[in-house]
Amino acid sequence: MKKIDLLYLSQKEVIDVGLSMKDAISIVEDVFREHGFKQFENPPKPGIHPLSDAFIHAMPGYLPRKNAGGLKWVSGFASNYKYDLPTIMGLIILNDVNTGQPLAVMDGGYITNMRTAAASAVAAKYLANKDAKVLGIVGAGIQARYHLLSLKEVLGEIEVVRIFDVNSEVSQRLLDMMSAQVPFEIQICQSNQEVIEGADVVVTATGWLQEPIFKEKWLESGTLVLPVHTRGWEPATLSKVDKFIVDDFQQFDSFVGGADGFYSPLPSLHAELGEIVIGEKTGRETHEERIIDFNVGIAIHDVSMASGVFKRAKEKGLGTLLPFMEDNLPFA
């Protein structure tokens, strides 16, 4: 048997390949297209839950027409700030889909943040009013910052962004860090309601919520709601808006559907986002529609992004080649 190596890419090396937010949005939209045509394997995430507010999930995905397959092993621990650690950490493994050979292992944190915000940008492209001027974001952490970068690419008429976080220092940090990165005014608000009422697009980028804290009555005509995490909205919101959309219904249902799920019973689904991207289902049809689109996060986005990183890393000579298997297994 020949010697087998795999490529290791650190977080810095993943960043250094130079994947831009525009690149990420293009990749994610293309993957939504594959999802719409049902050219994928993306089983719901199995996982373990060592703490009540924590998870470690396995996210396998396969895109046959792109010859891309792999797995993200990702954790989310809300209390990690106590240890000066990021809330979300993960690794992505890529495999050769013809032989199963592991090709690369790389940091998944940067890819996760990029593709999550890019998914919201794709949703906004198809579901937001083109003249949207007010963006509201609840939660001022890293996803709020990446969403500013992604949504500025597709919402060209935004004039002001309202921000609220229960930690005022986090809101101020976002203001200081991102004001020079975006072409619109950033305003710090004092409540969820102040952010959401009157906003044309609403992003709820909070951590794990035990109770619904966002109210359907705050949503005005024409609003697009993009929850980054599944929980937090009043369950009735899903049936009272004009269109209820998700990235992958099987996965969404496994998380918060079922007999005793957070949003149980789920209303009728209008569409998966990929069906809208390929034109099989309608997106926004009127200026007045209120739409909610949950992008829970699908592994095929991570796999496709990681494949692009892997290709660029090889072209640029980035990464460390690690020995993996040699012909020295006892009794082989």
Side-chain angles (χ1 to χ4, degrees), residues 174-316:
L174 180 146
L175 180 65
D176 296 341
M177 182 184 299
M178 301 304 297
S179 290
Q181 304 297 322
V182 293
F184 31 70
E185 179 187 0
I186 300 175
Q187 297 177 350
I188 296 178
C189 297
Q190 302 305 310
S191 69
N192 298 325
Q193 184 174 356
E194 186 182 353
V195 166
I196 294 171
E197 284 188 331
D200 299 301
V201 177
V202 173
V203 176
T204 48
T206 59
W208 181 264
L209 296 172
Q210 297 293 339
E211 301 293 334
I213 63 172
F214 308 124
K215 299 185 182 298
E216 175 268 332
K217 67 180 181 181
W218 296 342
L219 299 176
E220 297 189 6
S221 173
T223 304
L224 169 65
V225 183
L226 298 170
V228 177
H229 300 284
T230 50
R231 300 157 66 98
W233 282 90
E234 289 180 315
T237 306
L238 278 63
S239 57
K240 288 187 176 181
V241 296
D242 296 290
K243 287 187 171 80
F244 162 49
I245 297 164
V246 299
D247 54 359
D248 184 282
F249 184 75
Q250 183 186 16
Q251 184 164 259
F252 183 84
D253 186 40
S254 73
F255 273 23
V256 290
D260 55 355
F262 189 85
Y263 292 116
S264 180
L266 292 176
S268 296
L269 182 72
H270 172 70
E272 292 179 321
L273 185 54
E275 295 175 312
I276 294 172
V277 170
I278 66 172
E280 186 173 306
K281 298 284 183 70
T282 56
R284 176 170 291 277
E285 296 177 89
T286 72
H287 196 276
E288 292 72 33
E289 284 181 307
R290 298 189 305 168
I291 300 173
I292 190 165
D293 171 56
F294 288 87
N295 293 306
V296 179
I298 47 181
I300 47 179
H301 282 148
D302 299 291
V303 168
S304 189
M305 290 271 290
S307 294
V309 167
F310 178 55
K311 179 180 178 181
R312 291 190 184 199
K314 289 196 298 180
E315 292 171 351
K316 294 188 174 188

Side-chain angles (χ1 to χ4, degrees), residues 57-97:
H57 284 163
M59 297 175 61
Y62 171 47
L63 291 162
R65 296 201 293 196
K66 296 182 179 298
N67 290 317
L71 169 81
K72 182 167 78 172
W73 182 237
V74 61
S75 63
F77 281 64
S79 57
N80 271 2
Y81 68 91
K82 299 176 184 177
Y83 310 106
D84 195 28
L85 291 171
T87 300
I88 303 293
M89 291 184 280
L91 292 171
I92 299 176
I93 303 168
L94 290 179
N95 294 77
D96 185 309
V97 297

Side-chain angles (χ1 to χ4, degrees), residues 104-167:
V105 59
M106 67 186 74
D107 165 67
Y110 183 63
I111 288 172
T112 296
N113 283 303
M114 290 282 278
R115 67 87 157 137
T116 301
S120 290
V122 174
K125 175 180 175 180
Y126 289 88
L127 304 175
N129 278 312
K130 302 306 179 187
D131 62 350
K133 290 179 171 54
V134 179
L135 169 63
I137 302 180
V138 178
I142 191 166
Q143 267 308 310
R145 298 167 211 152
Y146 276 77
H147 270 71
L148 288 178
L149 298 175
S150 70
L151 292 174
K152 78 172 184 178
E153 299 290 342
V154 296
L155 299 176
E157 300 299 315
I158 292 293
E159 297 176 353
V160 62
V161 177
R162 302 172 185 165
I163 299 290
F164 172 71
D165 196 286
V166 292
N167 186 333

